[in-house]
Amino acid sequence: MPLHAIAYTSEARADLQATDLDRLLADATAFNRVAGVTGVLMFDGARFLQHLEGPEDGIDSVFQRILNARSHGQLKVLCRAPVVQRVFPRWSMGTRRIEPELLAQIADAAWPGFLLGSGGFERLLQAWTGADGELEPAAVALGS
C-alpha cells in the first residue's frame, strides 16, 4: 500500500486551554493509531505545524477530522504528496513546543515535497531532531 504525507499549519483558537490540548492529543493519538498514521505536531502557543504520514485512506480520514476540529482555524496545507517511507514510524502523535520564529521559518520555506535535504521539510526535521540529531527523541507534552 503506497504511503502519503501531508504537512500543514493552522492557527490555534484564542481560548485554547492546556486541558483542551491534552484531550486533543489523546484523541488524535488513538485515532491515528487505528488509521495507521504517524507523525509529529509542533505548537508555538498560537500556531500548529503538523506532519502526518501513512496510507492514503488513513491520511484522508485523519485530515478530515483535522478540517472539522474546532480547536483551530486558518489551515494552510504546505505539502501533500506520496512518500517512499515513513520518517516517524513510531509516533502516532509526537509533540513538541517550538519557538514562533522557527515555526514561521519552516512554514514559509519552499515545500517541493518530502525529500530529505529539501526546503520546509528539511527545516521541520532539523527543528524536530535538535542538536542531537535523533529523529525520534522522547516527546514533550504540549498541554500540561
Side-chain angles (χ1 to χ4, degrees):
M1 180 178 290
L3 295 172
H4 289 259
I6 189 167
Y8 73 89
T9 60
S10 64
E11 302 286 331
R13 197 180 69 220
D15 62 345
L16 191 67
Q17 302 294 314
T19 55
D20 297 326
L21 273 173
D22 291 340
R23 189 171 28 260
L24 176 147
L25 292 170
D27 291 346
T29 299
F31 191 86
N32 290 2
R33 192 172 290 123
V34 171
V37 171
T38 57
V40 294
L41 175 70
M42 298 181 193
F43 183 58
D44 70 3
R47 290 197 323 164
F48 295 103
L49 183 136
Q50 187 166 30
H51 166 84
L52 298 166
E53 55 199 16
E56 189 171 22
D57 61 343
I59 293 291
D60 289 343
S61 62
V62 168
F63 197 61
Q64 190 59 50
R65 281 176 49 103
I66 291 167
L67 289 171
N68 293 329
R70 295 186 203 160
S71 57
H72 65 136
Q74 305 299 316
L75 191 138
K76 177 185 174 190
V77 174
L78 302 171
C79 186
R80 182 174 183 151
V83 294
V84 176
Q85 66 185 28
R86 293 177 193 259
V87 178
F88 301 101
R90 294 185 299 267
W91 289 111
S92 57
M93 178 62 80
T95 59
R96 175 174 284 170
R97 283 270 187 180
I98 187 173
E99 293 298 317
E101 299 80 25
L102 184 52
L103 191 146
Q105 289 174 7
I106 296 167
D108 294 342
W111 280 81
F114 295 104
L115 301 173
L116 297 178
S118 70
F121 183 61
E122 182 66 22
R123 288 178 184 247
L124 180 147
L125 291 177
Q126 288 170 353
W128 185 260
T129 60
D132 61 10
E134 186 179 345
L135 197 54
E136 294 195 350
V140 176
L142 295 178
S144 52

mmCIF file of all heavy atoms in Angstrom, residues 25-49:
data_model
loop_
_atom_site.group_PDB
_atom_site.id
_atom_site.type_symbol
_atom_site.label_atom_id
_atom_site.label_comp_id
_atom_site.label_asym_id
_atom_site.label_seq_id
_atom_site.Cartn_x
_atom_site.Cartn_y
_atom_site.Cartn_z
ATOM 1 N N LEU A 25 -4.704 15.817 22.011
ATOM 2 C CA LEU A 25 -3.592 14.907 21.757
ATOM 3 C C LEU A 25 -3.952 13.459 22.056
ATOM 4 O O LEU A 25 -3.585 12.557 21.303
ATOM 5 C CB LEU A 25 -2.370 15.333 22.561
ATOM 6 C CG LEU A 25 -1.739 16.655 22.121
ATOM 7 C CD1 LEU A 25 -0.692 17.111 23.123
ATOM 8 C CD2 LEU A 25 -1.156 16.537 20.735
ATOM 9 N N ALA A 26 -4.682 13.231 23.142
ATOM 10 C CA ALA A 26 -5.091 11.861 23.488
ATOM 11 C C ALA A 26 -6.019 11.298 22.420
ATOM 12 O O ALA A 26 -5.850 10.152 21.970
ATOM 13 C CB ALA A 26 -5.766 11.845 24.857
ATOM 14 N N ASP A 27 -6.993 12.094 21.993
ATOM 15 C CA ASP A 27 -7.932 11.642 20.952
ATOM 16 C C ASP A 27 -7.218 11.393 19.626
ATOM 17 O O ASP A 27 -7.453 10.384 18.956
ATOM 18 C CB ASP A 27 -9.046 12.669 20.745
ATOM 19 C CG ASP A 27 -9.999 12.766 21.914
ATOM 20 O OD1 ASP A 27 -9.991 11.872 22.785
ATOM 21 O OD2 ASP A 27 -10.768 13.756 21.963
ATOM 22 N N ALA A 28 -6.352 12.328 19.253
ATOM 23 C CA ALA A 28 -5.643 12.201 17.978
ATOM 24 C C ALA A 28 -4.704 11.000 17.978
ATOM 25 O O ALA A 28 -4.610 10.285 16.976
ATOM 26 C CB ALA A 28 -4.862 13.482 17.687
ATOM 27 N N THR A 29 -4.032 10.766 19.082
ATOM 28 C CA THR A 29 -3.124 9.624 19.176
ATOM 29 C C THR A 29 -3.878 8.319 18.943
ATOM 30 O O THR A 29 -3.442 7.464 18.169
ATOM 31 C CB THR A 29 -2.419 9.605 20.546
ATOM 32 O OG1 THR A 29 -1.650 10.805 20.673
ATOM 33 C CG2 THR A 29 -1.514 8.402 20.692
ATOM 34 N N ALA A 30 -5.010 8.168 19.609
ATOM 35 C CA ALA A 30 -5.812 6.946 19.461
ATOM 36 C C ALA A 30 -6.334 6.799 18.034
ATOM 37 O O ALA A 30 -6.259 5.713 17.441
ATOM 38 C CB ALA A 30 -6.962 6.953 20.462
ATOM 39 N N PHE A 31 -6.861 7.872 17.471
ATOM 40 C CA PHE A 31 -7.421 7.812 16.116
ATOM 41 C C PHE A 31 -6.327 7.530 15.092
ATOM 42 O O PHE A 31 -6.507 6.704 14.189
ATOM 43 C CB PHE A 31 -8.149 9.116 15.775
ATOM 44 C CG PHE A 31 -8.970 9.018 14.521
ATOM 45 C CD1 PHE A 31 -10.270 8.534 14.568
ATOM 46 C CD2 PHE A 31 -8.443 9.382 13.297
ATOM 47 C CE1 PHE A 31 -11.029 8.428 13.409
ATOM 48 C CE2 PHE A 31 -9.187 9.276 12.132
ATOM 49 C CZ PHE A 31 -10.493 8.799 12.194
ATOM 50 N N ASN A 32 -5.189 8.201 15.225
ATOM 51 C CA ASN A 32 -4.086 7.993 14.283
ATOM 52 C C ASN A 32 -3.597 6.552 14.306
ATOM 53 O O ASN A 32 -3.289 5.975 13.265
ATOM 54 C CB ASN A 32 -2.921 8.928 14.600
ATOM 55 C CG ASN A 32 -3.227 10.374 14.297
ATOM 56 O OD1 ASN A 32 -4.326 10.714 13.879
ATOM 57 N ND2 ASN A 32 -2.263 11.235 14.540
ATOM 58 N N ARG A 33 -3.522 5.986 15.499
ATOM 59 C CA ARG A 33 -3.063 4.594 15.625
ATOM 60 C C ARG A 33 -3.979 3.659 14.836
ATOM 61 O O ARG A 33 -3.512 2.800 14.085
ATOM 62 C CB ARG A 33 -3.013 4.199 17.099
ATOM 63 C CG ARG A 33 -2.276 2.903 17.344
ATOM 64 C CD ARG A 33 -2.072 2.637 18.821
ATOM 65 N NE ARG A 33 -1.098 3.583 19.380
ATOM 66 C CZ ARG A 33 -1.350 4.395 20.401
ATOM 67 N NH1 ARG A 33 -2.520 4.390 20.996
ATOM 68 N NH2 ARG A 33 -0.419 5.219 20.849
ATOM 69 N N VAL A 34 -5.286 3.834 14.985
ATOM 70 C CA VAL A 34 -6.263 2.995 14.268
ATOM 71 C C VAL A 34 -6.163 3.217 12.756
ATOM 72 O O VAL A 34 -6.267 2.278 11.967
ATOM 73 C CB VAL A 34 -7.696 3.274 14.771
ATOM 74 C CG1 VAL A 34 -8.735 2.593 13.903
ATOM 75 C CG2 VAL A 34 -7.847 2.826 16.220
ATOM 76 N N ALA A 35 -5.927 4.463 12.341
ATOM 77 C CA ALA A 35 -5.851 4.804 10.915
ATOM 78 C C ALA A 35 -4.504 4.444 10.291
ATOM 79 O O ALA A 35 -4.335 4.557 9.080
ATOM 80 C CB ALA A 35 -6.120 6.295 10.729
ATOM 81 N N GLY A 36 -3.544 4.019 11.118
ATOM 82 C CA GLY A 36 -2.227 3.678 10.599
ATOM 83 C C GLY A 36 -1.393 4.892 10.241
ATOM 84 O O GLY A 36 -0.492 4.818 9.407
ATOM 85 N N VAL A 37 -1.667 6.024 10.873
ATOM 86 C CA VAL A 37 -0.989 7.279 10.567
ATOM 87 C C VAL A 37 -0.003 7.615 11.676
ATOM 88 O O VAL A 37 -0.309 7.469 12.860
ATOM 89 C CB VAL A 37 -2.025 8.418 10.400
ATOM 90 C CG1 VAL A 37 -1.358 9.776 10.301
ATOM 91 C CG2 VAL A 37 -2.884 8.153 9.161
ATOM 92 N N THR A 38 1.184 8.049 11.284
ATOM 93 C CA THR A 38 2.198 8.505 12.229
ATOM 94 C C THR A 38 2.576 9.941 11.883
ATOM 95 O O THR A 38 2.250 10.435 10.805
ATOM 96 C CB THR A 38 3.447 7.607 12.191
ATOM 97 O OG1 THR A 38 3.968 7.587 10.852
ATOM 98 C CG2 THR A 38 3.120 6.188 12.627
ATOM 99 N N GLY A 39 3.276 10.596 12.795
ATOM 100 C CA GLY A 39 3.716 11.952 12.508
ATOM 101 C C GLY A 39 3.986 12.746 13.758
ATOM 102 O O GLY A 39 4.009 12.211 14.867
ATOM 103 N N VAL A 40 4.181 14.049 13.558
ATOM 104 C CA VAL A 40 4.529 14.943 14.655
ATOM 105 C C VAL A 40 3.709 16.227 14.587
ATOM 106 O O VAL A 40 3.289 16.655 13.515
ATOM 107 C CB VAL A 40 6.037 15.279 14.652
ATOM 108 C CG1 VAL A 40 6.870 14.036 14.935
ATOM 109 C CG2 VAL A 40 6.468 15.935 13.356
ATOM 110 N N LEU A 41 3.513 16.811 15.757
ATOM 111 C CA LEU A 41 2.785 18.069 15.892
ATOM 112 C C LEU A 41 3.647 19.024 16.696
ATOM 113 O O LEU A 41 4.099 18.689 17.787
ATOM 114 C CB LEU A 41 1.457 17.831 16.618
ATOM 115 C CG LEU A 41 0.628 19.073 16.938
ATOM 116 C CD1 LEU A 41 0.043 19.674 15.658
ATOM 117 C CD2 LEU A 41 -0.495 18.713 17.904
ATOM 118 N N MET A 42 3.886 20.200 16.139
ATOM 119 C CA MET A 42 4.627 21.244 16.833
ATOM 120 C C MET A 42 3.673 22.396 17.113
ATOM 121 O O MET A 42 2.778 22.676 16.317
ATOM 122 C CB MET A 42 5.808 21.709 15.996
ATOM 123 C CG MET A 42 6.819 20.632 15.721
ATOM 124 S SD MET A 42 8.195 21.299 14.761
ATOM 125 C CE MET A 42 8.994 19.799 14.263
ATOM 126 N N PHE A 43 3.890 23.078 18.239
ATOM 127 C CA PHE A 43 2.998 24.155 18.659
ATOM 128 C C PHE A 43 3.828 25.278 19.254
ATOM 129 O O PHE A 43 4.701 25.035 20.089
ATOM 130 C CB PHE A 43 2.013 23.604 19.698
ATOM 131 C CG PHE A 43 0.975 24.579 20.167
ATOM 132 C CD1 PHE A 43 0.101 25.182 19.283
ATOM 133 C CD2 PHE A 43 0.861 24.875 21.512
ATOM 134 C CE1 PHE A 43 -0.869 26.070 19.717
ATOM 135 C CE2 PHE A 43 -0.102 25.748 21.971
ATOM 136 C CZ PHE A 43 -0.978 26.356 21.067
ATOM 137 N N ASP A 44 3.549 26.514 18.835
ATOM 138 C CA ASP A 44 4.305 27.661 19.356
ATOM 139 C C ASP A 44 3.507 28.505 20.351
ATOM 140 O O ASP A 44 3.935 29.587 20.729
ATOM 141 C CB ASP A 44 4.830 28.530 18.209
ATOM 142 C CG ASP A 44 3.739 29.300 17.475
ATOM 143 O OD1 ASP A 44 2.556 29.233 17.862
ATOM 144 O OD2 ASP A 44 4.080 29.995 16.490
ATOM 145 N N GLY A 45 2.359 28.011 20.759
ATOM 146 C CA GLY A 45 1.496 28.750 21.667
ATOM 147 C C GLY A 45 0.358 29.432 20.945
ATOM 148 O O GLY A 45 -0.649 29.796 21.557
ATOM 149 N N ALA A 46 0.502 29.608 19.630
ATOM 150 C CA ALA A 46 -0.547 30.236 18.823
ATOM 151 C C ALA A 46 -0.812 29.475 17.517
ATOM 152 O O ALA A 46 -1.918 29.513 16.998
ATOM 153 C CB ALA A 46 -0.172 31.679 18.494
ATOM 154 N N ARG A 47 0.205 28.813 17.002
ATOM 155 C CA ARG A 47 0.062 28.090 15.731
ATOM 156 C C ARG A 47 0.534 26.653 15.867
ATOM 157 O O ARG A 47 1.451 26.350 16.626
ATOM 158 C CB ARG A 47 0.882 28.755 14.618
ATOM 159 C CG ARG A 47 0.335 30.059 14.188
ATOM 160 C CD ARG A 47 0.844 30.564 12.858
ATOM 161 N NE ARG A 47 2.236 30.297 12.550
ATOM 162 C CZ ARG A 47 2.732 30.393 11.316
ATOM 163 N NH1 ARG A 47 1.973 30.721 10.310
ATOM 164 N NH2 ARG A 47 3.991 30.159 11.099
ATOM 165 N N PHE A 48 -0.111 25.791 15.078
ATOM 166 C CA PHE A 48 0.278 24.389 14.971
ATOM 167 C C PHE A 48 0.993 24.189 13.644
ATOM 168 O O PHE A 48 0.680 24.826 12.647
ATOM 169 C CB PHE A 48 -0.958 23.474 14.965
ATOM 170 C CG PHE A 48 -1.745 23.490 16.232
ATOM 171 C CD1 PHE A 48 -2.944 24.197 16.308
ATOM 172 C CD2 PHE A 48 -1.315 22.799 17.356
ATOM 173 C CE1 PHE A 48 -3.692 24.201 17.472
ATOM 174 C CE2 PHE A 48 -2.057 22.795 18.523
ATOM 175 C CZ PHE A 48 -3.245 23.498 18.584
ATOM 176 N N LEU A 49 1.934 23.260 13.641
ATOM 177 C CA LEU A 49 2.542 22.762 12.419
ATOM 178 C C LEU A 49 2.574 21.247 12.571
ATOM 179 O O LEU A 49 3.093 20.734 13.561
ATOM 180 C CB LEU A 49 3.966 23.297 12.241
ATOM 181 C CG LEU A 49 4.617 22.865 10.927
ATOM 182 C CD1 LEU A 49 5.330 24.050 10.273
ATOM 183 C CD2 LEU A 49 5.568 21.727 11.127
#
